Amino acid sequence: MTILLLLGIAFACVISVGIGYYLRHLVAFSQKGSIELEVKDVLLKARAEAAEIKEKAQKELNAAEQKADSLLHDAREEEKKIYQDKKKSEERLIKKEELLDNRQKDIEQEVASLKERAEEIKQIREKVIQQKDEVARELEALAGFSRVEARELLLSQVEKQCEEDLYSRILKLEREGEARLEKRAKEILVASIHRLGNATVSETLITTVSIPSEDIKGKIIGKEGRNIKVFERAAGVELVIDETPGIITISCFDPTRRQIARVALENLISDGRIQPVKIEEAVQKAEKEINQILRKKGEEAIYECGLLNIDERLIPLIGRLHFRTSYGQNVLQHSIEMAHISGVLAYELGADVNVAKAGALLHDIGKAVTHEVQGTHVEIGRRILQKFGVDNRIIQAMQAHHEEYPYETVESIIVQVADAISGGRPGARRDTVENYLVRLTELENIASSFAGTDRVYAIQAGRELRVFVSPDIVSDMQAHDMARAIALRIEHEMRYPGEIKINIIRETRAITFAR
């Protein structure tokens, strides 16, 4: 039974294997058929697409051929048109050349004709000259005089006959011309003076400061006069505190120092804290404020004169003239007045108005730094204007107002005339004040020339000279020698009434901070 069972199992396995193989064969055959169908389908689609692409390419090719034919046709038409235009241009050029050739021939014929006419005229002229000479010779032979002798005789006779009439006519023209010119000149000058003949405020040598109460005077003087000494030393002025109620007087020949002292003193009075340290700070602050005022005054002067092309660097120098006087006349006001007068004169005479006004406004610019630079104020002014690139016509206009340089332009004469008009009016200037200021300036310059000098102030109308020296350079013994040397030099170089007191001040400060 076991063997039969095993045989049955083996037979069943064989049959199962055969059936599986047959089934696998059927499946493989069915799959092969489906793949072939897919391949055929793909081939059909590819052939259809190829046909469509070929048809589309054929259409594009046909369109390209048509376009190429059209372009070729247009190109041929364009070439034909160009050829025709070129041919027409050549024909026109040929006609023009023919016309030019004809004209050239006509011109040559006319030139030849003109040459012939010129030759004929030349011959006729020679004949006329010969005949004229023959007639002149015949006339000279008949008259017994040559042509030159006859002319001189005729002129002498006419001169004798008309001499008195000519002389009377010349005198009449001279008198009428001089009277007319003098009248016109007077009209121009009078018009200029009337238009600018405003009153001139003479600068004095003192400035007053109002105080709210008499107690302020004691504070300003300080204990044992300490505050007033520090103030006078820092500002370079003299404070006059007397019994006059409500005011304190500042005395100094330099108007700039007076203004700095005035501003500093007003600030100290309003602050109330009057002590040496505050005094020095107030003076330094006042110097900065005055510099701002100088620039403002310069800008106002330029605006008033209508000059808008002045260099910015010149404005502070123009403003410094506000605190300078010339023979008692304010230099800035004098310059502004001159600018207006010069403008009127230049307009009347047909000169350059702007050049004349600028030359007048800047004619005394050298006085702003005369105490700092050697030379006359005209020469200093010329160097300043040349340094700042001012127009040479303006320099020529300003440099001749004291006749140190020749009059090179009409504007230079106008500036000199305006200076004479502005300064020559009655009451405009005082010579004694100017001489006094010159003497005080010379005093300070002599002391400043010594080595080791820091600051020099002439006070009390020039009767006292305060010289501040550097303690690192000048010792106590050298200070005495310096005072004597300054006194001797003043005695030899200057003339002055009374006596001058020389104070040499040597101050040493040691400053440190405790932290």
Side-chain angles (χ1 to χ4, degrees):
M1 281 298 290
T2 302
I3 295 171
L4 289 174
L5 184 57
L6 293 171
L7 289 173
I9 291 169
F11 183 74
C13 291
V14 173
I15 292 172
S16 299
V17 170
I19 292 170
Y21 178 78
Y22 180 72
L23 291 174
R24 180 177 176 278
H25 184 70
L26 289 176
V27 171
F29 183 76
S30 62
Q31 290 179 352
K32 179 180 179 183
S34 61
I35 292 171
E36 290 177 353
L37 290 174
E38 291 178 359
V39 170
K40 289 179 180 181
D41 188 26
V42 170
L43 288 174
L44 290 174
K45 290 181 179 179
R47 288 173 182 173
E49 290 178 358
E52 291 178 358
I53 293 170
K54 184 176 180 182
E55 185 178 358
K56 186 177 180 180
Q58 186 65 34
K59 289 180 180 180
E60 292 178 354
L61 179 62
N62 293 333
E65 289 178 354
Q66 291 177 359
K67 187 175 181 180
D69 293 338
S70 177
L71 293 174
L72 181 62
H73 181 267
D74 294 340
R76 288 175 179 173
E77 291 293 332
E78 185 69 22
E79 182 182 3
K80 185 177 179 181
K81 185 178 179 181
I82 292 172
Y83 177 75
Q84 291 176 354
D85 294 340
K86 184 177 179 183
K87 189 174 181 181
K88 290 180 181 178
S89 300
E90 290 177 353
E91 291 176 355
R92 286 197 299 270
L93 290 174
I94 292 171
K95 290 180 180 180
K96 287 183 179 180
E97 289 178 356
E98 292 176 354
L99 181 61
L100 291 174
D101 292 338
N102 295 330
R103 288 185 178 178
Q104 183 67 27
K105 291 178 181 179
D106 295 339
I107 291 170
E108 290 177 355
Q109 292 176 359
E110 290 180 359
V111 169
S113 177
L114 290 173
K115 288 182 179 179
E116 292 176 358
R117 289 185 180 181
E119 188 66 27
E120 292 177 359
I121 292 171
K122 183 178 180 181
Q123 293 175 1
I124 293 171
R125 182 180 295 173
E126 291 177 354
K127 290 180 180 180
V128 171
I129 292 172
Q130 291 176 0
Q131 292 176 359
K132 186 178 179 180
D133 292 339
E134 291 176 0
V135 171
R137 284 194 295 270
E138 290 178 359
L139 290 174
E140 289 176 359
L142 292 174
F145 294 101
S146 65
R147 183 167 52 186
V148 177
E149 293 174 349
R151 183 176 59 188
E152 291 179 353
L153 179 62
L154 180 61
L155 289 176
S156 63
Q157 291 178 355
V158 172
E159 185 178 354
K160 288 179 180 179
Q161 293 174 0
C162 303
E163 182 177 3
E164 186 175 353
D165 294 337
L166 290 173
Y167 183 69
S168 300
R169 181 63 177 167
I170 291 172
L171 290 179
K172 184 178 180 181
L173 291 175
E174 287 181 354
R175 287 195 298 269
E176 291 179 354
E178 289 178 358
R180 187 169 58 253
L181 292 175
E182 185 176 359
K183 181 180 178 181
R184 180 57 179 160
K186 288 180 179 179
E187 290 176 355
I188 294 174
L189 293 177
V190 170
S192 302
I193 294 172
H194 283 177
R195 291 177 62 178
L196 278 305
N198 55 338
T200 302
V201 180
S202 298
E203 296 288 341
T204 61
L205 301 177
I206 60 173
T207 300
T208 59
V209 178
S210 300
I211 57 176
S213 65
E214 294 297 314
D215 297 337
I216 298 297
K217 293 183 178 180
K219 293 183 179 180
I220 293 174
I221 295 173
K223 186 177 181 180
E224 297 179 355
R226 180 180 60 180
N227 291 343
I228 192 172
K229 291 179 180 178
V230 172
F231 188 91
E232 290 179 346
R233 182 173 66 250
V237 299
E238 182 182 4
L239 291 183
V240 179
I241 302 176
D242 51 19
E243 297 179 356
T244 304
I247 62 170
I248 294 176
T249 303
I250 301 173
S251 176
C252 180
F253 77 97
D254 190 337
T256 306
R257 287 190 215 159
R258 288 205 312 273
Q259 295 301 320
I260 293 174
R262 180 186 62 80
V263 174
L265 188 57
E266 289 177 351
N267 292 336
L268 287 171
I269 293 172
S270 62
D271 186 9
R273 296 175 294 175
I274 303 176
Q275 50 185 329
V277 177
K278 288 292 182 181
I279 289 172
E280 293 181 353
E281 293 177 356
V283 172
Q284 294 176 0
K285 182 180 178 182
E287 290 178 354
K288 296 180 181 179
E289 293 181 8
I290 292 298
N291 290 332
Q292 296 176 357
I293 293 174
L294 294 179
R295 184 170 186 85
K296 181 180 178 182
K297 291 294 182 181
E299 292 174 350
E300 290 176 354
I302 292 172
Y303 179 77
E304 182 178 349
C305 296
L307 300 172
L308 303 178
N309 57 347
I310 300 296
D311 194 293
E312 286 288 329
R313 296 171 292 181
L314 287 174
I315 294 177
L317 291 177
I318 296 174
R320 292 177 71 172
L321 298 177
H322 176 69
F323 297 122
R324 291 299 304 271
T325 58
S326 177
Y327 297 98
Q329 187 180 25
N330 184 279
V331 176
L332 183 58
Q333 292 299 325
H334 166 60
S335 299
I336 294 172
E337 182 177 319
M338 273 186 60
H340 291 306
I341 295 174
S342 298
V344 175
L345 294 175
Y347 179 79
E348 294 289 344
L349 299 175
D352 194 319
V353 176
N354 290 328
V355 171
K357 292 174 72 173
L361 181 64
L362 301 174
H363 80 288
D364 275 345
I365 192 68
K367 290 185 178 180
V369 294
T370 49
H371 62 288
E372 302 170 5
V373 183
Q374 295 296 326
T376 64
H377 73 275
V378 176
E379 186 62 31
I380 295 171
R382 286 186 72 256
R383 294 202 298 266
I384 291 173
L385 297 184
Q386 290 173 352
K387 178 180 179 181
F388 293 146
V390 177
D391 191 346
N392 189 54
R393 296 179 300 168
I394 297 175
I395 298 175
Q396 291 175 345
M398 62 77 63
Q399 67 185 5
H401 70 278
H402 283 317
E403 299 182 356
E404 294 184 18
Y405 291 87
Y407 299 111
E408 300 182 15
T409 61
V410 177
E411 290 80 7
S412 62
I413 301 176
I414 291 174
V415 172
Q416 196 274 337
V417 172
D419 189 18
I421 293 173
S422 177
R425 291 184 288 105
R429 293 184 172 182
R430 296 200 306 272
D431 293 348
T432 55
V433 176
E434 184 68 16
N435 294 331
Y436 165 72
L437 296 179
V438 169
R439 183 168 65 86
L440 296 185
T441 304
E442 290 179 356
L443 276 176
E444 291 189 352
N445 291 336
I446 289 174
S448 299
S449 63
F450 285 82
T453 304
D454 186 15
R455 290 169 295 166
V456 179
Y457 298 133
I459 61 176
Q460 293 186 1
R463 293 189 297 271
E464 182 178 352
L465 191 65
R466 291 182 181 177
V467 183
F468 295 86
V469 297
S470 175
D472 298 334
I473 301 176
V474 180
S475 63
D476 290 336
M477 294 300 296
Q478 290 174 340
H480 293 280
D481 296 337
M482 179 182 288
R484 182 58 183 165
I486 293 174
L488 291 174
R489 185 169 172 184
I490 292 173
E491 290 175 358
H492 286 89
E493 297 184 8
M494 294 185 63
R495 297 180 63 184
Y496 51 91
E499 62 180 11
I500 300 174
K501 180 181 179 182
I502 294 94
N503 284 330
I504 304 295
I505 301 173
R506 181 176 180 271
E507 182 183 37
T508 304
R509 294 187 183 185
I511 301 174
T512 186
F513 298 94
R515 297 182 176 87

